[in-house]
Amino acid sequence: MKQKYLAQLSSFYGLTSEKVEASIIKEIRGLTMRIYAINAVYQSKGNLTAGVDGVTLTADLRLEFLKKLSFKLLLIKYKASPIRHVLIPKGSGKLRPLGIPTIMDRVVQTFVTAALDPVIDVYSDKYSFGFRKGRNAHQAIGELSRTLYQKPANRRAKHKPGSRAYFSHRKYVLITDVKGFFDNVSHDWLLDNYPMPRLLKGVLYQWLKAEISYQGKAELNLTGFLQGSVIGPSLANFTLNGLEQCIKPTQKTTLDEMRYEHYNKLGKDVKRSKIRMEIRNRIIRYADDFVIVCNHEKESIRIKGKIEEFLAIRGLKVNEGKSFRVTWKHGAKFNYLGFTLHYLINTFPSRVTEQRTAKSLHITRGGLYVYPSNESIKSFKRKIRTTINSNLNLSPYKLIKLINPIIRG
């Protein structure tokens, strides 16, 4: 209920208003938020994973942490500890960096984030699905599938040729990858824009500038933040909020070239001003992974420049090697969030008769296919294989208990 109240305040008064800031401070001062934060960290999978101080959070230590935590601690005595840097396996077989803060830092970040997230979420992009309550990757794939839907030829044939409903316009898909997102986000931009209460700006500064401890050596963190911190997802989402506004079309309508060519072939003299189509752009985002779908080729070219400007303000760049454009036509496909999206047009008749050749028995159902990507399947098999090989001494019952959560996902 308190988070709902904060969200309503933010929606009514604005993200950085004094009333919202005062309410955030009030919640952070409260005992309820501290109890919630300690229990949230205790119930997480990482409660027994220690940071640089070697301390874990067991049931007996919860009361001790509650006694230590206070708003006065944040203002005067609190100092962020170095972050333990480890490398963990990635889906492709590579390694990716992960930051492990101390238990105290995780608890403090948890109750600060719990008060800030509802305030920020009100102004988040509509089609942002990563690290938000009630949203997940499957919803992102579902929304992307609806956006990429193309009207089948048999449905278009029911409409009068030349009418708007008769045409199915080609779409252009921009797959954009941000180069080293978590490593390069500008600290200055976050400190100036992230809605941290003014009294706690110093705490945010400490989290961003905390030393990184790797194999006994300390490194200074000049830009970005390591994945693994509790506040990381909130910072990542906030950094990219506004992309939906950024890709808004420069004009509402443009010449419908497909219809114009159709009338030209028929020899009809129709005013160009009457043959217009609405320009539509849609962005689907999961954390720092996003896909943009346009229904106009020139607009898709303009958008690329807008995205580069948006990212540059935040100290980021587009990874040209991993970013590309796909014209959504027969045979087009790309991978996103572990799935392959593949578009095919019906190449053979839907019914098979004795007169048709053996080749025509291979019937293709036209439309959008969504299935797990090859990389995801390989990663899944690798995980199952590793789990079985490293636990061969266990009983079948215990082995099944380990494998079932992996299968469920």
Side-chain angles (χ1 to χ4, degrees):
M1 288 298 292
K2 290 183 178 181
Q3 288 185 324
K4 186 177 179 181
Y5 174 70
L6 285 171
Q8 289 173 339
L9 273 182
S10 176
S11 178
F12 189 79
Y13 291 107
L15 185 63
T16 56
S17 68
E18 291 183 3
K19 285 199 174 185
V20 171
E21 188 172 312
S23 297
I24 291 171
I25 293 293
K26 183 180 177 182
E27 292 305 322
I28 291 173
R29 283 178 183 272
L31 179 65
T32 307
M33 199 64 84
R34 279 177 276 161
I35 294 171
Y36 160 77
I38 292 169
N39 278 327
V41 175
Y42 172 70
Q43 291 169 6
S44 68
K45 291 181 181 179
N47 71 313
L48 298 177
T49 304
V52 292
D53 58 357
V55 176
T56 58
L57 183 57
T58 58
D60 300 335
L61 290 175
R62 286 182 294 175
L63 188 58
E64 188 179 326
F65 271 94
L66 185 61
K67 289 177 182 177
K68 288 180 183 178
L69 281 175
S70 67
F71 190 72
K72 189 177 180 181
L73 168 78
L74 286 180
L75 291 180
I76 302 170
K77 298 180 181 178
Y78 177 76
K79 185 178 180 182
S81 302
I83 300 169
R84 185 158 73 89
H85 183 196
V86 296
L87 297 173
I88 61 171
K90 207 175 177 180
S92 57
K94 298 179 182 178
L95 297 173
R96 69 177 176 89
L98 182 73
I100 304 175
T102 60
I103 293 293
M104 177 60 80
D105 287 340
R106 272 180 262 173
V107 170
V108 174
Q109 288 182 20
T110 299
F111 75 76
V112 170
T113 307
L116 285 172
D117 273 352
V119 172
I120 295 168
D121 198 68
V122 176
Y123 298 93
S124 295
D125 291 341
K126 183 179 179 181
Y127 298 105
S128 167
F129 295 92
F131 307 114
R132 293 177 67 190
K133 286 184 179 179
R135 298 189 175 217
N136 54 50
H138 284 85
Q139 289 175 335
I141 293 295
E143 186 60 40
L144 184 56
S145 300
R146 282 189 287 274
T147 305
L148 291 173
Y149 171 77
Q150 293 278 53
K151 195 182 294 180
N154 60 343
R155 287 193 62 187
R156 295 201 300 273
K158 294 176 183 178
H159 300 281
K160 183 181 177 182
S163 65
R164 288 183 182 179
Y166 180 78
F167 296 96
S168 183
H169 296 89
R170 185 167 287 174
K171 294 177 181 177
Y172 302 89
V173 185
L174 302 175
I175 294 90
T176 309
D177 183 79
V178 182
K179 190 174 183 179
F181 176 80
F182 290 96
D183 298 329
N184 296 310
V185 177
S186 169
H187 286 176
D188 292 338
W189 187 88
L190 285 171
L191 288 167
D192 290 341
N193 294 279
Y194 191 72
M196 195 81 163
R198 281 167 290 181
L199 288 172
L200 301 178
K201 282 285 184 184
V203 176
L204 177 61
Y205 181 87
Q206 288 189 53
W207 289 337
L208 293 174
K209 299 292 184 182
E211 286 185 350
I212 297 170
S213 177
Y214 181 62
Q215 295 182 346
K217 295 180 180 179
E219 300 174 7
L220 290 176
N221 189 20
L222 301 176
T223 58
F225 48 88
L226 282 175
Q227 296 182 61
S229 60
V230 177
I231 202 168
S234 178
L235 293 173
N237 273 334
F238 181 80
T239 301
L240 294 178
N241 279 342
L243 274 171
E244 285 186 7
Q245 293 295 320
C246 172
I247 66 155
K248 276 193 171 182
T250 50
Q251 58 190 66
K252 289 185 178 180
T253 63
T254 187
L255 175 69
D256 191 336
E257 293 177 1
M258 288 180 70
R259 288 178 67 203
Y260 185 68
E261 288 176 8
H262 173 77
Y263 286 124
N264 274 346
K265 287 178 183 178
L266 296 177
K268 292 184 178 180
D269 186 19
V270 182
K271 289 183 179 180
R272 292 167 68 98
S273 59
K274 291 188 176 180
I275 310 174
R276 308 286 292 179
M277 61 175 278
E278 184 183 355
I279 298 177
R280 295 177 182 175
N281 302 332
R282 173 70 57 84
I283 182 169
I284 312 296
R285 180 165 66 85
Y286 189 91
D288 63 318
D289 296 321
F290 54 93
V291 173
I292 302 166
V293 182
C294 315
N295 65 343
H296 192 253
E297 187 174 10
K298 289 181 181 177
E299 190 66 23
S300 69
I301 296 168
R302 291 192 199 103
I303 281 175
K304 187 175 181 294
K306 288 183 178 180
I307 294 295
E308 288 173 351
E309 289 175 15
F310 178 90
L311 294 175
I313 296 169
R314 292 152 176 79
L316 300 168
K317 293 180 181 179
V318 172
N319 188 342
E320 297 292 347
K322 294 183 179 179
S323 302
F324 53 95
R325 190 181 72 171
V326 175
T327 302
W328 200 238
K329 58 182 180 180
H330 175 64
K333 64 178 178 179
F334 64 93
N335 294 339
Y336 184 61
L337 300 181
F339 289 88
T340 297
L341 292 96
H342 193 180
Y343 180 60
L344 294 170
I345 296 174
N346 194 0
T347 54
F348 299 113
S350 58
R351 294 181 181 178
V352 179
T353 61
E354 295 178 2
Q355 289 80 13
R356 292 197 174 96
T357 61
K359 186 178 179 181
S360 67
L361 294 178
H362 299 285
I363 299 169
T364 301
R365 176 182 62 81
L368 175 66
Y369 286 78
V370 182
Y371 50 87
S373 65
N374 291 333
E375 291 80 5
S376 298
I377 294 169
K378 287 177 184 176
S379 175
F380 175 76
K381 289 180 177 178
R382 194 186 303 115
K383 199 170 184 180
I384 293 287
R385 191 186 305 115
T386 305
T387 304
I388 292 172
N389 289 340
S390 58
N391 296 283
L392 289 173
N393 58 334
L394 295 180
S395 66
Y397 171 77
K398 289 183 178 178
L399 192 59
I400 289 168
K401 202 172 181 181
L402 285 175
I403 292 172
N404 273 343
I406 300 172
I407 294 171
R408 285 196 297 267

